[in-house]
Amino acid sequence: MTMEIIKAENLKHVYKTANGEKIALDDINFSIDDGEFIAIIGTNGSGKSTLAKHFNALLKPTAGKIFVNGLDTEDDENLWAIRENVGMVFQNPDNEIVAAIVEDDIAFGLENLGIEPAEIRRRVDLALDTVNMTDYKNFSPSKLSGGQKQRIAIAGAVAMRTKIIVFDEPTAMLDPQGRREVLNTIQKLHAQGLTIILITHFMEEAATADKIFVMEGGKILKIGTPREIFSDVKEIKRLGLDVPVAVELAARLKLPQKILNAKEFIAAIKNL
């Protein structure tokens, strides 16, 4: 039996600007179940990053509600419990790293909570192992690649034992190798039962999720599986988005099957 872990009810967010007001989230409704892997896609300005900041109460609703693990994000008394449950990983890992040694950086949040040193050691070691960075625990973060730094940022969230990790375009500044490293880590965390929310411009990344939310103009236009979302190539392109390469090739070749990835594309070609 699945359990609802995040729920938005008529969620609205308005920014004050020099020219008046800008509606960033416009009366949206959705729910996310415990353990789901959700990808959120949309062009710049669609509201993706604003929504991400509502998941751990970095922003509060202008109107409507959002609940995390049953807790109303608008209630200040819930703030600490919500942020214990929700970890955030952003685009630039350099903005998140605070210590001169990798393992010290991962321990930073735990030390602020006053956790016993032996437990900190255990959690740091487990987090490093989870993101495959144990061999780098005594390195300076400045000596790491972009993908390795991002995995250290993820390890910090893992060490805090968050139930949900929100990734706001975590691979946007990485090369292909770094993107693969981070996506492999995300998939590993999902397999371990964490709830994953991934905001991305890379459609191949979105295609690995359980569900995709498609955003435009502060609204969620569609929610569906990757196969459902990417089967309508014309609509995705109308929104100014790409589709996975395999989907694009299949559409151009007018293959009868709904293709989602390279493996399915090769199989379809062989069956022609």
Side-chain angles (χ1 to χ4, degrees):
M1 181 178 177
T2 57
M3 182 182 75
E4 186 178 83
I5 198 164
I6 298 176
K7 184 176 184 178
E9 297 177 347
N10 305 114
L11 178 63
K12 186 172 184 176
H13 193 89
V14 178
Y15 290 112
K16 303 289 185 181
T17 71
N19 298 320
E21 295 184 340
K22 174 180 171 51
I23 299 175
L25 298 176
D26 191 5
D27 197 34
I28 60 176
N29 296 274
F30 64 85
S31 64
I32 296 172
D33 288 337
D34 187 22
E36 276 196 304
F37 180 177
I38 304 296
I40 303 177
I41 62 175
T43 56
N44 290 336
S46 61
K48 306 186 302 299
S49 291
T50 298
L51 179 57
K53 291 179 176 68
H54 278 274
F55 291 131
N56 77 337
L58 285 174
L59 293 176
K60 293 187 178 182
T62 303
K65 295 283 186 181
I66 185 163
F67 300 91
V68 177
N69 215 20
L71 301 173
D72 186 346
T73 64
E74 203 165 14
D75 188 340
D76 288 338
E77 292 185 358
N78 295 333
L79 191 60
W80 185 247
I82 288 169
R83 291 183 180 169
E84 279 188 313
N85 279 313
V86 185
M88 299 284 292
V89 177
F90 297 99
Q91 274 189 29
N92 189 348
D94 288 325
N95 293 339
E96 300 176 64
I97 292 172
V98 297
I101 299 296
V102 163
E103 64 178 3
D104 291 345
D105 190 79
I106 298 169
F108 180 77
L110 302 175
E111 290 169 345
N112 285 339
L113 293 177
I115 292 173
E116 290 294 322
E119 176 64 9
I120 291 176
R121 177 76 268 164
R122 195 182 72 81
R123 290 203 203 179
V124 168
D125 288 344
L126 181 60
L128 283 164
D129 181 65
T130 298
V131 301
N132 296 324
M133 288 294 289
T134 299
D135 292 343
Y136 299 88
K137 66 181 182 180
N138 293 317
F139 275 53
S140 165
S142 65
K143 303 296 184 183
L144 303 179
S145 69
Q148 290 170 330
K149 288 179 183 178
Q150 199 62 289
R151 282 188 282 160
I152 293 306
I154 295 168
V158 171
M160 295 291 286
R161 291 186 172 174
T162 57
K163 294 181 179 180
I164 305 160
I165 303 183
V166 181
F167 296 88
D168 190 358
E169 300 191 38
T171 63
M173 301 179 67
L174 304 181
D175 61 18
Q177 175 62 29
R179 289 203 296 271
R180 283 192 295 272
E181 291 173 358
V182 172
L183 186 59
N184 287 342
T185 301
I186 290 171
Q187 290 170 332
K188 183 177 180 179
L189 294 172
H190 177 231
Q192 292 175 356
L194 272 71
T195 303
I196 302 295
I197 300 170
L198 172 64
I199 296 169
T200 181
H201 277 112
F202 296 103
M203 298 303 108
E204 279 79 9
E205 294 179 359
T208 66
D210 297 325
K211 289 181 186 174
I212 296 176
F213 290 10
V214 183
M215 295 192 69
E216 183 185 41
K219 293 182 177 292
I220 296 178
L221 296 186
K222 289 185 176 182
I223 297 176
T225 66
R227 201 172 300 279
E228 290 167 344
I229 295 300
F230 292 127
S231 65
D232 192 347
V233 174
K234 287 184 178 180
E235 174 64 7
I236 292 296
K237 290 191 170 184
R238 182 195 69 79
L239 294 170
L241 300 171
D242 294 323
V243 294
V245 173
V247 175
E248 174 76 15
L249 290 172
R252 291 189 180 189
L253 293 173
K254 298 182 179 178
L255 296 179
Q257 299 99 327
K258 290 182 178 179
I259 307 298
L260 189 59
N261 54 45
K263 185 177 180 180
E264 292 176 351
F265 177 77
I266 292 169
I269 292 294
K270 287 180 177 179
N271 291 331
L272 288 179

